[in-house]
Amino acid sequence: VGYANVSGRSLGNRIYLGFVALQTRDISFSCLYWVFTENLRMFLRNTLGKEDKSLTKAEILGVNMIAGGISGGLAGMITLPLDVVKNRRQIFPEEYIHRHSLEIIYTIGKKEGIKKLYTGIVYRIAKVSTTCSTILAMYELILDSLRRNKILA
């Protein structure tokens, strides 16, 4: 890992100090994302009055772009405080490394305000909504094409 300088602090190997917080955020994000996505897709398919196999390519694209975007944004917003914890552990290890994530979230919220836990929310929602909607829609379109061409059962 190369060296970065943030607020006059050399990060070096500190980049790994946020590993547990990163995994906590990513696992929580994935769980929330898939629960939201599957429920939204079911709702949207029911709204269209169609089963999976009878959706057109445009409907597959639309259902999955909408479900992926909304789900990614919601999951990203809910898990953003864990990203703040990860960043704090990496930049200020002496202050945060031996503390539990929930304790850090509580401390930041109490001392600096809830707003600090959502630093960068617009960027995060824009990033994950776009990424999640695109990946999900492309995956489902490719899967549908493979099934229609009898490459996959």
Side-chain angles (χ1 to χ4, degrees), residues 51-107:
E51 297 290 323
D52 269 352
K53 293 180 180 179
S54 65
L55 291 174
T56 66
K57 289 198 182 294
E59 290 168 334
I60 292 170
L61 181 68
V63 163
N64 288 292
M65 289 287 283
I66 292 167
I70 292 171
S71 299
L74 284 172
M77 181 178 67
I78 293 168
T79 59
L80 185 61
L82 294 170
D83 204 37
V84 172
V85 168
K86 173 192 65 89
N87 294 336
R88 295 282 178 107
R89 280 194 176 139
Q90 289 173 331
I91 297 170
F92 307 108
E94 59 282 345
E95 186 177 346
Y96 294 105
I97 195 63
H98 297 294
R99 295 170 62 195
H100 190 273
S101 295
L102 291 176
E103 182 185 353
I104 296 169
I105 289 170
Y106 177 78
T107 302

Side-chain angles (χ1 to χ4, degrees), residues 105-119:
I105 289 170
Y106 177 78
T107 302
I108 293 170
K110 188 174 180 180
K111 289 183 179 178
E112 301 175 42
I114 298 295
K115 191 174 180 180
K116 280 291 185 185
L117 293 169
Y118 289 92
T119 300

Side-chain angles (χ1 to χ4, degrees), residues 5-55:
N5 195 329
V6 177
S7 301
R9 298 173 178 273
S10 178
L11 290 179
N13 289 333
R14 292 182 183 189
I15 202 79
Y16 301 108
L17 294 176
F19 181 75
V20 172
L22 174 68
Q23 294 307 306
T24 304
R25 183 206 66 195
D26 287 349
I27 291 167
S28 301
F29 177 89
S30 291
C31 291
L32 292 168
Y33 172 74
W34 284 109
V35 168
F36 295 152
T37 297
E38 291 304 326
N39 283 297
L40 271 170
R41 289 199 304 188
M42 188 181 344
F43 171 78
L44 292 169
R45 284 191 304 263
N46 288 340
T47 301
L48 291 171
K50 293 189 173 185
E51 297 290 323
D52 269 352
K53 293 180 180 179
S54 65
L55 291 174

